[in-house]
Amino acid sequence: MEQVPLIEVRNVTKVYHVGSVDVHALRGINLTINRGDICCIIGRSGSGKSTLLNVLAGLEHVTSGEIVIAGKRLDKMTQSELIVFRQKHVGFIFQSFNLMPYYTALENVAFPLSFRGVPARKRNALAREALKTMGLATHMKHKPSQMSGGQQQRVGIARALVTDPEIVFADEPTGNLDSNTSDDVMNSICDVMRAQNKTLVMVTHDPHMAEFADKVIQILDGKVVSIEYNDHSDSKKKTDVKQGVETA
């Protein structure tokens, strides 16, 4: 199958001004993420991985460089244009679930569709299907306090998918779950992404979570230092960006 670039990052930098000090969070990032990739950005605290996720999602502007997603230059967009872009193209999965506590699972999942002006009946129908896909057909009327952490995160995944986004960004999506639940949730995310040919970009510090991805991007001190393709990907090679060589 021909690989189609969906996200292209070209020499991106991000500098924060903290008093009289410049903090270089990203230092010339270059990478390509194809449509349908399950991609993990991994690095320790302070490596720049969360900053990279934020600029890819259009939550922060880059200092320099280009970000092209679905043929659109995010680095040229205004804040209002970025909001519209995210509504049309992007879904989010959060570490802390970010569910509204007084809403049922169905209401939580249907909520993003209200911003698109989708009628209530259709919103609820789409939300039901998304919850069924995540194995929560019997939990639609449950509120977050009536569900386990794993179930709450599945609601969060359903909410991210209900708008039919091209890309889902996930920030430490299993960070608040135990190891067994984490594996179950990650298997669910990856199964749905592959079945629907959606692109997942996940940030984590956990090497075990990175094993679920097709492509693992290691970031250190604001730079991409390696890209590894896991065995369940079509490619089984590792690229050392520092050395510019590939090993089979």
Side-chain angles (χ1 to χ4, degrees), residues 110-130:
F111 186 70
L113 295 169
S114 63
F115 294 108
R116 295 188 174 188
V118 178
R121 181 174 292 183
K122 186 175 182 180
R123 287 202 304 266
N124 290 335
L126 291 169
R128 287 189 190 95
E129 286 304 311

Side-chain angles (χ1 to χ4, degrees), residues 111-166:
F111 186 70
L113 295 169
S114 63
F115 294 108
R116 295 188 174 188
V118 178
R121 181 174 292 183
K122 186 175 182 180
R123 287 202 304 266
N124 290 335
L126 291 169
R128 287 189 190 95
E129 286 304 311
L131 286 165
K132 287 178 183 177
T133 298
M134 295 311 303
L136 294 172
T138 60
H139 291 73
M140 295 191 188
K141 294 183 179 180
H142 291 195
K143 293 180 179 178
S145 61
Q146 298 171 307
M147 292 183 283
S148 68
Q151 289 165 344
Q152 290 182 63
Q153 190 58 293
R154 289 174 187 274
V155 174
I157 298 164
R159 180 185 54 194
L161 294 172
V162 75
T163 58
D164 193 28
E166 290 182 86

Side-chain angles (χ1 to χ4, degrees), residues 38-111:
I38 294 177
C39 177
C40 176
I41 301 169
I42 187 169
R44 63 193 183 197
S45 179
S47 62
K49 63 184 187 298
S50 294
T51 301
L52 180 56
L53 184 77
N54 287 342
V55 298
L56 289 176
L59 298 172
E60 296 186 46
H61 282 289
V62 301
T63 301
S64 65
E66 301 177 4
I67 295 180
V68 182
I69 298 183
K72 307 289 185 181
R73 284 279 300 273
L74 264 67
D75 56 287
K76 295 292 187 182
M77 291 184 184
T78 65
Q79 197 61 43
S80 58
E81 288 171 338
L82 285 168
I83 290 171
V84 172
F85 181 86
R86 288 195 295 268
Q87 288 177 351
K88 290 183 176 179
H89 298 278
V90 174
F92 291 96
I93 302 171
F94 303 96
Q95 176 180 346
S96 57
F97 316 142
N98 282 14
L99 302 179
M100 290 175 284
Y102 301 110
Y103 282 25
T104 64
L106 183 68
E107 291 167 338
N108 267 285
V109 174
F111 186 70

Side-chain angles (χ1 to χ4, degrees), residues 163-192:
T163 58
D164 193 28
E166 290 182 86
I167 309 161
V168 174
F169 291 105
D171 187 3
E172 298 280 7
T174 62
N176 285 342
L177 305 175
D178 63 64
S179 58
N180 289 333
T181 305
S182 294
D183 286 359
D184 289 343
V185 167
M186 280 307 305
N187 279 318
S188 295
I189 294 174
C190 293
D191 287 348
V192 171

